[in-house]
Amino acid sequence: QFDLHRVRSHIFGVSEAVRRYMSIMIFAFLAWTALGTLFLQGCSACTTIAVGKDATVDGSVLSSHSNDGEGDTDPRLVLIPASDWPVDSKRPIFYSPESFPRYVGPDRAATPIEAYATGNGDNGPTAFVPICEMPQVPHTFQYYEETYGALNEKQLGISESTCSGVFGAAPKGIEYPDYGTGKACFSVDALTQIAMERHTKARDAIKEIGALAEKMGFYGAGLFEGTAESLIVTDTEEAWIFHILPDPSGASAIWAAQRVPDDSFAVVPNVFIIREIDASDDNFMYSSSVYSVATELGWF
């Protein structure tokens, strides 16, 4: 069962300083929306905010996400039930279309999910076919998802903001303009699902999804915002910023993460905000490719 009091505190338990900040953000958002209506018709994006536990009245860790997409994303909030899986099961990984429907088929849980059933509403008669697979764990947690995994029964939370990136990649087996036939298994959507299914702590979730992206490849949305992604990953104690993009081969990933100080907040407005990495500080995590790719290209 979800801790509903804790969920409410994630929404309402903010300090006066954070309230003032959020008021400024709301005003800025409304002003930008008005300008966008006048000058940037059709442009939309996602902004995420994280607040550390010492910056809130009751010690809650906060994150928020405006999932604006591009007008055709799948906004449904769907409950994915907890599941037990047979020994040696495989976990299918599906292409993420970034549009409605985001998934159709029976394979996201051990019990049927009506929202994703073939023939339900506008889902169509054909189940999605996986592009990759990986070993399944014995038990996966219950969680809510929208376009991305949002909050699981252990209070792991995720919010997302697409960012620009210097490299791009395509999904495995799928032809993409500029990238050819893809080699990468994971979108950020699929990575958030893995985090929701398996983890109670933000730090552990980031370690696994980063390692999986390195091993099996990452592809970004590749739309107007860019080919990279950022997540805010939270648990009841910590908030982390996670940045990821494909590597030059299109078959792996480059990623970095930084913990938000407990007395601070962070905003990710469709751009990477981690600017420096302290390799000696355990408040940072990163792939070895951060340095190896930069060195190979003469950037470091």
Side-chain angles (χ1 to χ4, degrees), residues 61 63 77 85 88 94 102 105 246 265:
V61 178
S63 72
L77 184 65
W85 303 96
D88 297 327
F94 297 95
R102 61 177 174 257
F265 65 86

Side-chain angles (χ1 to χ4, degrees), residues 3 39 43 51-52 100 109 126 130 133-134 148 190 204 214-215 232 251 260 280-281 290:
D3 183 347
F39 303 115
C43 182
V51 185
F100 185 97
T126 305
E133 64 178 18
M134 58 183 284
Y148 315 96
D204 295 336
E214 288 182 76
K215 180 180 179 181
I232 291 175
V260 178
S280 65
D281 187 342
V290 166

Side-chain angles (χ1 to χ4, degrees), residues 101-215:
R102 61 177 174 257
Y103 171 73
V104 178
D107 296 326
R108 292 290 309 284
T111 54
I113 302 171
E114 183 179 359
Y116 295 150
T118 56
N120 180 47
D122 295 324
N123 282 352
T126 305
F128 284 22
V129 176
I131 60 172
C132 299
E133 64 178 18
M134 58 183 284
Q136 181 61 282
V137 294
H139 179 80
T140 50
F141 298 133
Q142 175 175 259
Y143 65 98
Y144 281 108
E145 71 172 15
E146 19 86 16
T147 305
Y148 315 96
L151 183 69
N152 76 9
E153 64 180 287
K154 304 300 182 180
Q155 300 293 289
L156 186 81
I158 288 180
S159 51
E160 177 275 349
S161 182
T162 302
C163 302
S164 59
V166 68
F167 306 122
K172 189 171 184 179
I174 298 175
E175 191 81 15
Y176 255 42
D178 301 326
Y179 304 127
T181 302
K183 307 172 189 176
C185 290
F186 283 103
S187 67
V188 75
D189 315 42
L191 290 176
T192 64
Q193 294 162 6
I194 295 294
M196 291 286 109
E197 292 168 4
R198 300 182 173 199
H199 290 285
T200 63
K201 298 296 183 184
R203 188 186 294 262
D204 295 336
I206 289 169
K207 287 179 180 178
E208 181 171 27
I209 64 176
L212 286 172
E214 288 182 76
K215 180 180 179 181

Side-chain angles (χ1 to χ4, degrees), residues 35-58:
L35 287 172
T37 301
L38 291 173
F39 303 115
L40 299 173
Q41 295 281 339
C43 182
S44 50
C46 300
T47 298
T48 55
I49 301 172
V51 185
K53 63 181 181 179
D54 290 345
T56 63
V57 169
D58 65 352

